[in-house]
Amino acid sequence: MNMMTSITSTVQSSGKFTYKDFTWCLSLFGTAVGAGVLFLPIRAGAGGFWPLVILTLIAAPMTWFAHKSLARFVLSAANPKADITDTVKEHFGKAGANLITFAYFFAIYPIVLIYGVSITNTVDSFLTNQMGMEPVPRWLLSGALIAAMTAGVVFGKGLMLKATSAMVYPLVFILLALSFYLIPDWNTSIIRVSPDWGKIPLIVWLAIPIIVFSFNHSPIISQFSKEQRRIYSDNAVKKTDAITGGTAMMLMGFVMFFVFSVVLSLSPEQLATAQEQNISVLSYLANIHKSSLISYVGPLVAFVAITSSYFGHFLGAHEGLVGLIRSRYQIPVSKIKRISLIFIVTTTWIVAIINPDILDMIEMMGAPIIVAILFLMPVFAMQKVPAMAKYKTSVPVQIFTVICGLAAISSIIYGIF
């Protein structure tokens, strides 16, 4: 049985797959589809056509195995209302909880910073290139955008879930439609580049972190797992396995088709130019394409994708920072939540004004700790924590997950040095 068949079988065997389950798939999908996906064609396409094919084949199983393991980790807590911070404290003690809580926050927090930069650049490019307006002062534009996106979270998790789900419907449709729309522009320039077959393993290895980041929806897994346990109790594992499997298939199908369509419609030189301009590939397409549809739909898709993903990541970063402060200081929770909110919004605003390179931020700041928490920690817990015994995944799944995690971390270290 191949890996894609395994995912499909899990979804089918988990009982009736309800509309609510599909809504959760969309929410997890929406959390993943953000800056990473919009920059994925630039980084993944730079390595050539065949490495991109290999990355596509490993993307779905890599995503599913890691996220379903993290969901099982959260479900293993004795307290049915426990989030990931509480679960870590139960399994690894206070010292371990402090370490993982610290890592959890710094795995997600840089992603929020990335979204602050990318939403500002997307809207700025649209206003100046498509609308013909004078550039809005960066401090004002970034502040307004970050405040507006944060308001969606402040109004509550229920509203966030509804808003994310509502935005994902048109997002999926437009991404798919845009992918088909670009087909007449496909060319063989990237395929004609003679591959150095000896370097393909190196290219794939170095591209794994951007795949991890682009398909990552771990920030919302804690809240997602708690909700499944509240509803399904002991049967929650089947539901989390099925929903994370469905999400992995959606991501591979929609996202990688989009990536291939974009890469095949541009030349390697154009992909390099997009990276130099520090804008998403959709904003770049809007700037060079003669079609008014691309000019306006491209930035709109980028805006919706970044906004929907910002919701899930902001929620995860806020949860992590609140847990971090609570573990060290005796301060009322309501006050901690306010302090955390102000800190995240202010620092995101500052970084958006500075405008650092987004791809460098993704690979050096976001990916390493995400990999450790998402790929390595759940498997480690399966081996060391008695409560995880009944939540273990199969040995081949554990081995594959660890190999992918170690490959991602080692490639980041290699890239830095």
Side-chain angles (χ1 to χ4, degrees), residues 183-206:
I183 289 177
D185 294 333
W186 285 7
N187 60 80
T188 58
S189 59
I190 194 170
I191 302 175
R192 288 199 307 268
V193 176
S194 298
D196 185 340
W197 296 104
K199 290 186 177 180
I200 284 183
L202 176 65
I203 294 170
V204 171
W205 176 49
L206 293 176

Side-chain angles (χ1 to χ4, degrees), residues 38 117-127 130 279-280 283 298-300 302-303 306:
L38 302 183
V117 176
S118 56
I119 194 68
T120 303
N121 290 354
T122 296
V123 175
D124 180 61
S125 176
F126 176 75
L127 294 177
Q130 277 71 55
I279 56 176
S280 76
S283 293
L300 175 64
F303 180 82
I306 293 168

Side-chain angles (χ1 to χ4, degrees), residues 108-272:
I108 301 170
Y109 171 58
I111 304 175
V112 179
L113 302 181
I114 290 167
Y115 288 142
V117 176
S118 56
I119 194 68
T120 303
N121 290 354
T122 296
V123 175
D124 180 61
S125 176
F126 176 75
L127 294 177
T128 55
N129 291 289
Q130 277 71 55
M131 302 301 293
M133 295 172 57
E134 290 294 320
V136 178
R138 192 171 181 88
W139 67 268
L140 178 60
L141 179 63
S142 58
L145 291 168
I146 291 165
M149 291 194 299
T150 306
V153 183
V154 173
F155 284 121
K157 297 173 186 175
L159 180 61
M160 182 211 74
L161 177 60
K162 291 179 182 178
T164 303
S165 299
M167 286 190 287
V168 171
Y169 280 111
L171 175 61
V172 170
F173 173 77
I174 295 172
L175 269 180
L176 187 61
L178 191 59
S179 301
F180 279 112
Y181 186 83
L182 289 173
I183 289 177
D185 294 333
W186 285 7
N187 60 80
T188 58
S189 59
I190 194 170
I191 302 175
R192 288 199 307 268
V193 176
S194 298
D196 185 340
W197 296 104
K199 290 186 177 180
I200 284 183
L202 176 65
I203 294 170
V204 171
W205 176 49
L206 293 176
I208 286 178
I210 190 69
I211 291 288
V212 170
F213 180 84
S214 300
F215 283 50
N216 172 49
H217 43 282
S218 62
I220 203 171
I221 288 292
S222 178
Q223 297 296 324
F224 157 69
S225 302
K226 282 173 59 179
E227 182 67 10
Q228 301 313 305
R229 189 174 186 181
R230 183 186 68 81
I231 298 173
Y232 299 105
S233 188
D234 293 339
N235 294 320
V237 172
K238 288 185 177 180
K239 278 296 180 183
T240 57
D241 282 1
I243 293 170
T244 52
T247 303
M249 287 194 294
M250 284 179 62
L251 285 167
M252 191 197 73
F254 285 102
V255 173
M256 295 314 294
F257 177 46
F258 165 72
V259 169
F260 270 100
S261 190
V262 170
V263 168
L264 289 172
S265 69
L266 298 174
S267 67
E269 293 75 21
Q270 288 174 315
L271 291 170

